Amino acid sequence: MTSNADKKWMGGIHLGSKVEIDLVLQQLCHAFNHAPYFKHNEMQMRVVDGQIEAYIDMQPFMVGNVAFQILHGGVAATILDSIGGIVAMGELYKKTEVADLPDTIKKVTRLATVDMRVDYLAPGRGQYFIARAETLRLGRKGCTMRMTLVNDADKAIATAIASYAY
């Protein structure tokens, strides 16, 4: 039996139906955007040119270094981890055939970060930040993603590589 909470993370798709990837990506973003943590930080997932990206405005409570007014490293790590996970979910749906949908739904609902390494490349200065992810490996039991966070000048602030299990 699937709960209503699980249906949100499944992209609102139904067993036996064809996966409409654009709709699934929008629904995954909707589910993330309504999570309490994302709402609190006003972090947004959105679909741009068929890909999910994360967006966040710089806000006073996100400053980690008061003297230099730069983004806290924990905020950067959180948005990188989040974009890695949601893009991995989308990639799982993209390669799903109708017959494999139950297995994909199970993977998406169980997806969890196993390990993540963040490299901070530049001070987190900017009016807003955007994070994007790419798949390095998508396997049967897990995946590896590479994520990048840029500021409003498109300068790379941080990168990460993470492993997710499902």
Side-chain angles (χ1 to χ4, degrees), residues 80-81 84-85 111-114 116 141-143 145 147 162-166:
L80 289 167
D81 185 26
L111 190 136
T113 308
V114 174
M116 185 171 80
K141 295 183 179 185
C143 63
M145 308 294 290
M147 301 79 75
S163 297
Y164 299 88
Y166 35 76

Side-chain angles (χ1 to χ4, degrees), residues 12-78:
I13 60 176
H14 305 284
L15 296 178
S17 64
K18 183 178 183 291
V19 175
E20 298 292 336
I21 196 61
D22 293 334
L23 178 60
V24 169
L25 296 179
Q26 290 290 344
Q27 290 174 328
L28 284 170
C29 289
H30 180 78
F32 266 75
N33 292 342
H34 285 83
Y37 186 79
F38 281 76
K39 288 173 83 171
H40 172 75
N41 290 309
E42 299 177 20
M43 193 180 309
Q44 298 176 349
M45 295 293 179
R46 58 192 188 184
V47 180
V48 177
D49 297 328
Q51 299 293 321
I52 298 175
E53 68 178 25
Y55 176 90
I56 192 165
D57 284 314
M58 179 61 153
Q59 299 181 54
F61 68 87
M62 294 178 181
V63 171
N65 184 317
V66 179
F68 294 102
Q69 294 294 299
I70 59 174
L71 185 69
H72 190 285
V75 176
T78 297

